[in-house]
Amino acid sequence: MLSISSAKSAAASIDYFSDHLNPDGAPIRRQAEDYYSAEGDPGTWVGSGAAALGLAGSEVTSEAFAAIAAGAAPDGTSLIGSHQRKTDPAKRRAGWDCTFSAPKSVSVAWALGGEEQRAAIQRAHDRAVEAALKKLEAEAIFTRRGKGGAELEPGRMVAAVFRHGTSRSQDPQLHSHAFIHNLAQRADDSWGGIQSREIFARKMALGAYYRAALAHELRALGFEVERDGRSFRLAGMDQRLERRFSKRRSEIEQTLAEAGARSAKASEVAALRTRQRKERLDRAELAARWEQEAAELGVTRADLTPAALRRAAEREREAERLAAEVRGEEWAPPPAEMPTFAGLMREATERASTITEHQLAALVYERAQGLLSPEEAEDYLADLIESEHVVRLRSGDRVAYTSREMWELESGLADMAERRAQESRHQVSDAALAAALAARPTLSEEQAAMVRHVTAGAGIAAVNGKAGTGKSFALGAAREAWELDGRRVIGAAPSGKAADELQAGAGIESSTIHRLLLRLDRGEVSLDERHVIVIDEAGMVESRLLDRVLRAADEAGAKVVLVGDTRQLQPIGAGGAFRLIQQRIGYAELGEIRRQRDEWARDVVRDVERGAGKKAMAELSRRGLVHVEPDRDAAAAKLVQRWLAGRDPAQPGEALMIAARRADVRRLNDLARQHLASTGELDLARAVSIEGSHFAPGDRIIFGRNDSRVGVRNGTLATLVSVDRSSGDRLILRARADDGQEIEWCPDDYGDVAHGYAVTAHKSQGMTVDRAYVLVDESMSDLHWSYVALSRSRESTEVFADAMSWPAVKNTMELERLKTTTQDFELER
């Protein structure tokens, strides 16, 4: 792994360096017998800039470190320009700490192996760090020159590397701190500060490159490695050991979970908050502690040799193969070679239509772990980029890459939309249109214009409607016009809940897009030119899926109407095809917000929609609707308190709690149930357990899977009415959905039920309630999340945050993260 943090001043860098010094200020030198921990190793200077100063390969001293941090040579001679010297040395950014950490399984094998094994793993780690730093210097070190540092040119790096072997919880953690000084030598031998953007831009790729190099070195030692998410682990390692020796990570994750934070910045803050100065333990005590913890799990040194781990890995694979055979499933061994170029590019564009070169490099190096040497991985990357499977794109100074498949798919989508927009055969008769509009006298002129637009002759039409503008009501008029004209209307949406909303709001018989495609494939639905397919929430549909629907409609001559909001939540998969099609063919827009009853509340939603989140938060705060509490628990407790005060038990679906993360949703649901149980609103005497969760009559529930037999969709909200065993031994549950539907089912047949007092923002999209209570965290820095969460209510929306998350939320919630398409760029080759 690679983490990067900044030392904001020379003074801060000296504090950093003090962790590596003895009390007298001299470099800590490892005692000869101290082979368990590398904490005592003196630092080493690396980089061609260090070589120019005569330091490369030598030990790091506090005097030299402090001088370079202040922009001077070890002898005190200033190396920076006069304009830089005007800056207070104590405030000058000293550099960046890049920490390369071996996977936990490697640290365990290093700590508990024999002396020879420890030394070999240590050398492997050192060589991997060296390889990564050489790559960093070659690709990411640029010095600033000229007015405002606007001119950039390659620089020669000065770095101090310190190897450590323990975490702050005194667990084995083989890692190296590489302090990249904010000083680099230019080609003309002058010196200047570093522009750090390129270092941070390459963080994921450099981390993956280090791991690929380390995996290659470990394979040469006889270890077998296997993929572990984006990293790798030593195959055959007892995972209980890895968990046992991950106490420090557990501390940070617990702090992040309590704060509801996930970003790299929050992780850095959490690490500092939980940070304690390392306890200095002697070799014997530390060795005894680690060996005792391993022995408690039945693991000895002999179990951690390369040969022993390979045998354990083979036993694990055989057990997996037999288990798959019992289940009647096919089993395949781990991949022994890199994916094909086509396969890797398919993976690269699974979640995004375009990626940067750094993202592509990171993916290649991740897949190379245990399969290729670093040099072979670089060759693979170079050949991949030059292959027919990769398309290079450009937009101004931005360069991006995509797969040939994605480029052809999205460009074909755009071309198809343009062609079908020129059709005229789908025009609804004047009589049918007039009758449908006359039947709905409350339609606004904007809504009526939308109806005219979608019932015109084009084979495809788009509607961009802001949250709460009455899209469904207007679509109901369009449906009536189509049907009066003898056309068959079919509705589809990304989720079952959205399909239900379309059906209930517009009267269009609807299903999920996947269900529609399945029925088309099976021949259960046969399209012709008299069909109209209305796709709601089109902004959440990924390019590949939308392409399948549009091509099926094109082949049959059926009309397609895409309805959505580009500002709401983005597709999980690749692409922003809805936005792309809008750009090519135009669209009808619904901008007059009708959901919020007060004008000021509509203004708040408009502000969030256009990216003025700070203004929106200021207005909510002025009205007493923003609550910032000391910690996450207090924020959740306050939210539930306000929800209880605002809810109407007779209308349980009109007060909704919303959060970004499932963990927060569970927290809010638990707090709500605790209170309702204490007041007797839940009949706990008749509670039942479903999939490990308890439900009692009176509970709010949400169904998590479409099921036509039960009559529910993923996202259906209801109130549990009764629990009984009147039908023999079968447990029968009855619930009343918010739309009045009576639901009856047996949990043995359908168990995908959760508590429904609180939902995620994704679940809430398309919902309308009187009052919403929103627990925010750093996810709200995404404009699309905040737009959905803050636009659900008719009457009031209250916002709750903890002190750690709030600064990030209020300062960055204006960021828009629209998914790009290949057509946002020009084809470069």
Side-chain angles (χ1 to χ4, degrees):
M1 300 299 171
L2 171 61
S3 63
I4 304 176
S5 59
S6 300
K8 295 184 177 179
S9 68
S13 72
I14 299 306
D15 289 340
Y16 162 89
F17 186 74
S18 68
D19 275 352
H20 307 265
L21 300 180
N22 278 314
D24 62 2
I28 298 173
R29 296 182 182 279
R30 188 180 66 179
Q31 298 174 4
E33 74 278 15
D34 188 5
Y35 50 76
Y36 287 96
S37 171
E39 304 300 320
D41 280 0
T44 304
W45 291 107
V46 301
S48 55
L53 295 173
L55 295 173
S58 63
E59 294 180 5
V60 179
T61 64
S62 58
E63 294 81 9
F65 191 97
I68 295 173
D75 62 4
T77 303
S78 179
L79 296 174
I80 56 179
S82 58
H83 65 287
Q84 292 178 294
R85 288 198 293 271
K86 294 177 183 178
T87 303
D88 183 350
K91 296 180 180 180
R92 180 180 183 273
R93 185 178 297 279
W96 300 268
D97 177 11
C98 297
T99 305
F100 297 89
S101 298
K104 183 58 67 175
S105 60
V106 178
S107 293
V108 171
W110 167 79
L112 296 173
E115 181 175 359
E116 183 178 340
Q117 179 168 306
R118 284 192 294 273
I121 292 175
Q122 195 164 284
R123 287 192 297 271
H125 166 76
D126 289 345
R127 283 194 287 265
V129 171
E130 180 183 5
L133 288 175
K134 284 183 178 178
K135 190 167 188 63
L136 185 153
E137 179 172 18
E139 298 182 357
I141 300 300
F142 292 90
T143 64
R144 297 177 297 231
R145 192 197 287 270
K147 186 176 181 179
E151 300 175 25
L152 297 178
E153 59 183 89
R156 303 181 182 112
M157 180 180 72
V158 181
V161 181
F162 303 88
R163 186 187 343 106
H164 286 183
T166 61
S167 70
R168 291 185 177 273
S169 297
Q170 294 298 296
D171 285 331
Q173 184 190 349
L174 181 60
H175 63 285
S176 289
H177 292 274
F179 192 91
I180 313 299
H181 280 277
N182 186 18
L183 188 68
Q185 188 182 41
R186 305 184 183 101
D188 63 2
D189 294 336
S190 64
W191 294 78
I194 291 175
Q195 199 266 62
S196 63
R197 183 178 62 201
E198 295 300 322
I199 298 176
F200 284 95
R202 287 168 170 77
K203 173 185 172 182
M204 302 305 294
L206 286 168
Y209 190 83
Y210 155 75
R211 295 192 303 275
L214 178 59
H216 178 68
E217 294 283 351
L218 292 170
R219 288 184 68 204
L221 296 178
F223 292 101
E224 182 181 341
V225 303
E226 61 185 16
R227 281 184 57 184
D228 184 22
R230 303 183 75 166
S231 184
F232 74 89
R233 62 187 299 272
L234 298 183
M237 175 65 70
D238 192 323
Q239 295 188 37
R240 297 175 303 161
L241 266 182
E242 296 174 69
R243 292 191 292 270
R244 176 69 68 91
F245 289 129
S246 299
K247 303 183 191 71
R248 174 64 177 146
R249 186 61 212 165
S250 296
E251 291 174 357
I252 295 173
E253 289 176 349
Q254 181 177 350
T255 299
L256 288 171
E258 291 171 353
R262 289 172 291 179
S263 69
K265 182 63 177 177
S267 295
E268 184 179 337
V269 172
L272 291 173
R273 286 193 176 187
T274 59
R275 182 178 181 177
Q276 298 177 354
R277 196 170 187 84
K278 280 189 178 179
E279 179 185 4
R280 299 292 186 187
L281 298 178
D282 63 35
R283 175 191 59 81
E285 184 177 353
L286 196 56
R289 176 190 294 187
W290 291 346
E291 290 176 1
Q292 176 61 34
E293 291 191 57
E296 290 171 0
L297 298 175
V299 180
T300 67
R301 179 177 298 178
D303 298 318
L304 299 175
T305 65
L309 290 175
R310 288 199 305 273
R311 290 193 295 270
E314 187 57 38
R315 291 193 298 269
E316 290 174 2
R317 285 193 290 271
E318 180 62 15
E320 291 173 2
R321 187 190 66 77
L322 291 173
E325 184 178 303
V326 170
R327 296 192 301 268
E329 300 173 354
E330 292 187 10
W331 179 85
E337 57 185 21
M338 290 289 286
T340 63
F341 288 167
L344 188 131
M345 289 308 298
R346 173 75 186 207
E347 182 179 357
T349 56
E350 191 66 35
R351 293 297 181 95
S353 293
T354 65
I355 59 174
T356 67
E357 184 173 1
H358 307 323
Q359 291 170 326
L360 184 58
L363 180 60
V364 168
Y365 299 147
E366 286 168 11
R367 295 298 170 266
Q369 294 171 145
L371 298 176
L372 302 178
S373 69
E375 295 77 16
E376 290 170 336
E378 290 186 275
D379 290 342
Y380 177 101
L381 176 61
D383 291 343
L384 170 67
I385 290 176
E386 293 300 320
S387 76
E388 63 180 357
H389 300 283
V390 175
V391 175
R392 182 181 169 96
L393 307 168
R394 180 178 290 277
S395 177
D397 293 335
R398 294 173 60 201
V399 174
Y401 293 86
T402 189
S403 64
R404 176 69 56 183
E405 174 248 358
M406 181 57 73
W407 167 260
E408 293 176 352
L409 185 149
E410 290 190 335
S411 59
L413 259 179
D415 292 343
M416 185 198 328
E418 288 185 338
R419 172 174 52 79
R420 298 218 63 201
Q422 303 305 312
E423 295 176 7
S424 58
R425 56 182 168 167
H426 300 279
Q427 179 72 53
V428 168
S429 69
D430 291 343
L433 178 59
L437 293 176
R440 290 168 176 77
T442 59
L443 279 171
S444 69
E445 181 51 43
E446 181 182 61
Q447 289 173 316
M450 185 214 91
V451 176
R452 296 187 189 97
H453 177 77
V454 299
T455 57
I460 187 170
V463 176
N464 195 72
K466 297 178 182 178
T469 54
K471 294 188 291 290
S472 295
F473 183 61
L475 282 173
R479 173 198 49 80
E480 185 170 341
W482 284 316
E483 290 178 345
L484 288 172
D485 201 50
R487 300 173 189 272
R488 169 78 187 279
V489 187
I490 300 174
S495 69
K497 186 70 169 66
D500 282 349
E501 295 284 344
L502 176 61
Q503 185 162 322
I508 299 173
E509 183 180 344
S510 304
S511 68
T512 65
I513 294 175
H514 285 96
R515 176 64 179 167
L516 172 61
L517 288 169
L518 181 63
R519 295 181 68 199
L520 289 170
D521 290 341
R522 290 176 174 175
E524 297 173 3
V525 174
S526 180
L527 298 176
D528 59 41
E529 64 180 21
R530 302 298 292 175
H531 277 88
V532 179
I533 302 175
V534 178
I535 300 179
D536 200 10
E537 302 289 4
M540 292 185 69
V541 183
E542 60 190 84
S543 293
R544 290 186 176 96
L545 197 59
L546 193 58
D547 178 70
R548 291 179 61 192
V549 178
L550 265 58
R551 292 198 178 281
D554 185 36
E555 290 173 5
K559 183 185 180 83
V560 177
V561 176
L562 304 174
V563 183
D565 185 351
T566 56
R567 293 300 183 108
Q568 294 198 46
L569 295 170
Q570 299 292 287
I572 294 175
F578 178 51
R579 179 175 58 83
L580 165 62
I581 291 172
Q582 284 186 6
Q583 291 170 344
R584 290 297 183 93
I585 69 171
Y587 54 92
E589 183 162 18
L590 293 180
E592 185 179 344
I593 298 174
R594 296 171 173 272
R595 179 178 293 154
Q596 285 71 39
R597 292 170 180 161
D598 295 323
E599 187 61 31
W600 71 264
R602 296 183 196 129
D603 287 340
V604 166
V605 174
R606 292 187 190 104
D607 286 337
V608 175
E609 184 267 339
R610 66 185 178 85
K614 292 179 183 177
K615 182 180 178 183
M617 288 295 103
E619 179 63 19
L620 289 175
S621 182
R622 189 178 72 81
R623 293 178 178 273
L625 299 175
V626 174
H627 312 273
V628 181
E629 302 298 324
D631 55 43
R632 200 69 175 168
D633 288 336
K638 180 73 170 181
L639 185 153
V640 173
Q641 176 189 340
R642 295 291 299 165
W643 171 80
L644 289 165
R647 66 188 280 267
D648 180 356
Q651 295 181 304
E654 294 301 338
L656 184 67
M657 297 184 283
I658 301 173
R661 304 181 309 130
R662 292 188 180 94
D664 281 330
V665 167
R666 287 193 295 270
R667 185 200 309 242
L668 295 174
N669 280 326
D670 289 346
L671 289 173
R673 295 190 76 249
Q674 289 170 19
H675 177 84
L676 297 179
S678 70
T679 61
E681 290 190 46
L682 299 183
D683 186 1
L684 296 182
R686 300 187 64 78
V688 295
S689 177
I690 304 176
E691 301 290 333
S693 296
H694 290 86
F695 299 86
D699 258 326
R700 292 285 292 164
I701 59 175
I702 185 169
F703 293 87
R705 175 171 53 85
N706 299 339
D707 193 304
S708 58
R709 295 169 302 173
V710 179
V712 296
R713 300 280 198 178
N714 179 6
T716 297
L717 283 165
T719 300
L720 187 61
V721 176
S722 67
V723 176
D724 68 66
R725 297 184 182 275
S726 57
S727 303
D729 291 332
R730 281 175 65 82
L731 181 64
I732 301 299
L733 305 183
R734 295 180 178 85
R736 182 177 298 107
D738 289 349
D739 62 3
Q741 174 193 359
E742 299 293 334
I743 303 169
E744 181 178 299
W745 82 102
C746 174
D748 291 339
D749 302 326
Y750 184 101
D752 293 325
V753 182
H755 298 115
Y757 304 95
V759 300
T760 63
H762 276 84
K763 291 284 188 185
S764 77
Q765 181 156 326
M767 295 182 182
T768 300
V769 296
D770 281 345
R771 294 164 296 282
Y773 304 84
V774 182
L775 183 62
V776 303
D777 64 9
E778 289 165 331
S779 296
M780 198 173 177
S781 63
D782 184 327
L783 179 150
H784 312 287
W785 190 101
S786 55
Y787 179 41
V788 169
L790 296 179
S791 62
R792 298 301 96 202
S793 70
R794 301 182 188 93
E795 296 179 1
S796 67
T797 298
E798 298 190 40
V799 175
F800 302 79
D802 66 276
M804 176 182 282
S805 296
W806 183 240
V809 170
K810 69 177 182 179
N811 289 328
T812 63
M813 68 173 288
E814 303 185 353
L815 296 177
E816 183 173 39
R817 295 190 175 93
L818 287 173
K819 285 208 169 183
T820 61
T821 72
T822 58
Q823 305 306 293
D824 293 323
F825 298 81
E826 295 292 330
L827 181 64
E828 186 166 291
R829 68 155 180 79

